[in-house]
C-alpha cells in the first residue's frame, strides 16, 4: 500500500470505507484502542470515525501513516 492506494480505498461515496479500514487495522494486528492511541485519537474519536463521522483529509493521512500504508 501507499498513501494513494489507501486514500482510494478509504474514500468512497460516504468518504470512508469503514469496513476496509477495520480490516486493515486487524490485518496489522492492532486493536482499535492501540491504533487510536498511535495516531493521537481517543477511543471515542476513533469509534466516531468507524461509525461514519465526518473526517478531514489530514485525519485520513494520519490514519494511513499510522497503518504504514
Amino acid at each position: 500500500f501507499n498513501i494513494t492506494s489507501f486514500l482510494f480505498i478509504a474514500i468512497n461515496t460516504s468518504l470512508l470505507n469503514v469496513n476496509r479500514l477495520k480490516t486493515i487495522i486487524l490485518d496489522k494486528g492492532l486493536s482499535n484502542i492501540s491504533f487510536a492511541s498511535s495516531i493521537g485519537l481517543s477511543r471515542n474519536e476513533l469509534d466516531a470515525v468507524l461509525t461514519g463521522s465526518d473526517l478531514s483529509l489530514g485525519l485520513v493521512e494520519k490514519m494511513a501513516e499510522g497503518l504504514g500504508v
Side-chain angles (χ1 to χ4, degrees):
F1 285 106
N2 59 36
I3 186 69
T4 303
S5 63
F6 181 79
L7 290 173
F8 178 76
I9 291 166
I11 297 175
N12 66 19
T13 56
S14 65
L15 184 59
L16 181 68
N17 183 331
V18 173
N19 290 329
R20 182 66 181 136
L21 178 59
K22 289 177 182 179
T23 299
I24 294 170
I25 292 169
L26 289 175
D27 288 349
K28 296 288 182 175
L30 299 169
S31 69
N32 286 351
I33 294 170
S34 65
F35 174 60
S37 176
S38 74
I39 62 170
L41 294 179
S42 71
R43 188 191 85 213
N44 290 341
E45 290 170 319
L46 181 60
D47 286 346
V49 168
L50 296 177
T51 58
S53 176
D54 287 337
L55 66 157
S56 67
L57 180 57
L59 181 54
V60 172
E61 290 172 339
K62 186 185 278 192
M63 290 188 299
E65 184 178 314
L67 292 170
V69 297

